[in-house]
Amino acid sequence: MIQRQDIIWLGVSAAVTGSLVGGLMLGIGLGMVVNHIYGGFVLIIPGAPVSGLIGWLLARRLAGQLPG
């Protein structure tokens, strides 16, 4: 049975994981662009959608465990 604390921890874990992954992609990509390696845009552009996708996948996993 899913409890309230499970939903709270899902939100915390999705936010932390998404922020870490998106922030790392943004930071590494910006570092590359500053050093005139323009392939860094490949990391910068999908940074936000990738971090949101991680939260969405975690939410789907929990929703699959709900009864009914």
Side-chain angles (χ1 to χ4, degrees):
M1 184 74 176
I2 302 298
Q3 297 175 352
R4 179 182 229 163
Q5 63 192 16
D6 297 330
I7 295 171
I8 291 171
W9 279 113
L10 169 75
V12 169
S13 64
V16 168
T17 307
S19 296
L20 286 174
V21 171
L24 280 172
M25 289 178 71
L26 182 63
I28 292 169
L30 283 174
M32 290 172 68
V33 171
V34 166
N35 289 318
H36 303 288
I37 304 170
Y38 296 110
F41 284 118
V42 174
L43 292 174
I44 293 173
I45 293 170
V50 166
S51 64
L53 179 67
I54 291 170
W56 180 71
L57 289 173
L58 287 172
R60 269 190 72 180
R61 187 173 137 211
L62 180 65
Q65 296 176 2
L66 289 173

